[in-house]
């Protein structure tokens, strides 16, 4: 490395490894059996966790931009969030090549470990607006451990920011919705559905709201796609066995699967 380059970049070679701590990253994969499938399961789990965070970062940007009425930038951030969710959906393909007998070789070492304990997934869900009291209760212990999760529980969600933007655009969003307790689960509101209906009936009159509506729908669609793919993978691996996290497994996930982010954006489709 030349002296000039060293002044610009003080990192010692090999930069790729030291900058991103690739050595530490690989050390984090500690299989407890000899199964190569377990190694892949761990790697895919890590990849998913990191992608949850990518989505969360982009949604944080989307919130900021909507709050500042910067619609172009908000759309860009929502597009990026949707893209991270599309990649997340594809990662299931890395697990579908595992047969149930291969999974059973290492399933027992999971004990009570379950995706339900993923604080990053929960942070992402909270930021989008799913503050289901059951999930909040399940995350109770984690709230003390992960300040970001606690902050997110008390923060305005992506949907709150979107509805605030709609109101500033001149659409009729009730004060009760704009001033709601943002730490609670979002409840669908008839007036909000009417506002979205106005947007879809007259997109030329409400171009900013229309662009945001379709981006939000894409994010919600991709998230639900991830959940639906997870459900299918679980059915393929476990049949109707209960989950390691203590739920009934497939029936429990099937119920979760019915949840939709930004509910009026889904219900409005019926009335168009
Ligand atoms: C063979 C693969 C997998 C199986 C059989 C499986 C099974 C399950 C089951 C049965 C549940 C319900 C809760 C429980 O009782 O445990 C669950 C929840 C969950 N799993 Fe998986 N899982 C698999 C892979 C993954 C991976 C790789 C991730 C991502 C890191 C993941 C993330 C989650 C999340 C976030 C939940 C909670 C969903 C919610 O609360 O809405 N799962 N999983």
């Amino acid at each position: 490395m030349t002296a000039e380059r060293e002044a610009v970049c003080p990192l010692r070679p090999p930069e790729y490894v030291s900058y991103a701590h690739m050595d530490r990253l690989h050390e984090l994969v500690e299989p407890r059996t000899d199964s190569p499938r377990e190694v892949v399961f761990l790697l895919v789990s890590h990849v998913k966790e990191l992608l949850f965070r990518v989505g969360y970062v982009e949604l944080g940007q989307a919130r900021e931009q909507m709050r500042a009425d910067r619609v172009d930038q908000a759309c860009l951030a929502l597009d990026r969030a949707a893209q991270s969710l599309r990649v997340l959906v594809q990662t299931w393909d890395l697990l579908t090549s595992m047969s149930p007998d291969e999974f059973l070789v290492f399933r027992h070492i999971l004990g009570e470990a379950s995706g339900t304990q993923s604080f990053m997934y929960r942070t992402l869900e909270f930021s989008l607006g799913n503050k289901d009291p059951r999930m909040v209760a399940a995350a109770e212990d984690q709230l003390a451990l992960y300040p970001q999760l606690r902050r997110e529980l008390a923060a305005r969600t992506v949907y709150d920011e979107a509805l605030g933007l709609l109101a500033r655009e001149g659409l009729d969003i009730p004060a009760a919705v704009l001033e709601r307790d943002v730490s609670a689960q979002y409840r669908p509101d008839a007036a909000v559905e009417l506002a979205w209906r106005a947007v879809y009936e007259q997109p030329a009159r409400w171009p900013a709201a229309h662009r945001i509506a379709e981006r939000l729908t894409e994010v919600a669609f991709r998230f639900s796609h991830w959940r639906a793919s997870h459900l299918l993978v679980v059915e393929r691996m476990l049949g109707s066995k209960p989950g390691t996290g203590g739920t009934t497994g497939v029936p429990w996930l099937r119920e979760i699967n019915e949840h939709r982010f930004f509910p009026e954006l889904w219900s409005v489709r019926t009335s168009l």
Side-chain angles (χ1 to χ4, degrees), residues 80-119:
R80 287 175 171 153
Q83 185 56 34
S84 69
L85 291 165
R86 265 180 231 117
V87 177
L88 262 164
V89 171
Q90 285 172 12
T91 58
W92 286 121
D93 290 342
L94 297 167
L95 288 182
T96 48
S97 58
M98 176 166 63
S99 60
D101 50 300
E102 286 175 318
F103 183 44
L104 285 175
V105 168
F106 67 90
R107 188 182 187 226
H108 62 281
I109 55 98
L110 297 177
E112 291 179 2
S114 162
T116 47
Q117 295 143 13
S118 166
F119 66 91

Side-chain angles (χ1 to χ4, degrees), residues 113-150:
S114 162
T116 47
Q117 295 143 13
S118 166
F119 66 91
M120 189 44 74
Y121 181 82
R122 209 58 71 204
T123 306
L124 182 62
E125 276 215 312
F126 285 175
S127 79
L128 281 165
N130 188 15
K131 299 181 183 180
D132 183 318
R134 288 172 302 175
M135 300 310 174
V136 175
E140 194 62 43
D141 294 343
Q142 295 186 320
L143 292 176
L145 290 174
Y146 308 108
Q148 198 172 33
L149 181 67
R150 197 175 55 243

Side-chain angles (χ1 to χ4, degrees), residues 41 44-45 48-49 52 92 95 98 103 114-116 118 121-122 125 135 226-227 230 233-234 237-238 242-247 249-250 252-253 256:
F41 178 79
V44 174
S45 300
K48 281 187 191 292
E49 278 288 332
F52 293 155
W92 286 121
L95 288 182
M98 176 166 63
F103 183 44
S114 162
T116 47
S118 166
Y121 181 82
R122 209 58 71 204
E125 276 215 312
M135 300 310 174
W226 185 89
R227 284 197 186 122
H230 178 246
V233 168
V234 175
M237 289 303 158
L238 296 184
T244 46
T247 75
V250 165
W252 187 82
L253 286 168
I256 299 283

Side-chain angles (χ1 to χ4, degrees), residues 16 61 88 98 114 133 160 175 196 244 261:
Y16 174 76
Q61 293 286 297
L88 262 164
M98 176 166 63
S114 162
D160 291 313
W196 286 126
T244 46
F261 289 106

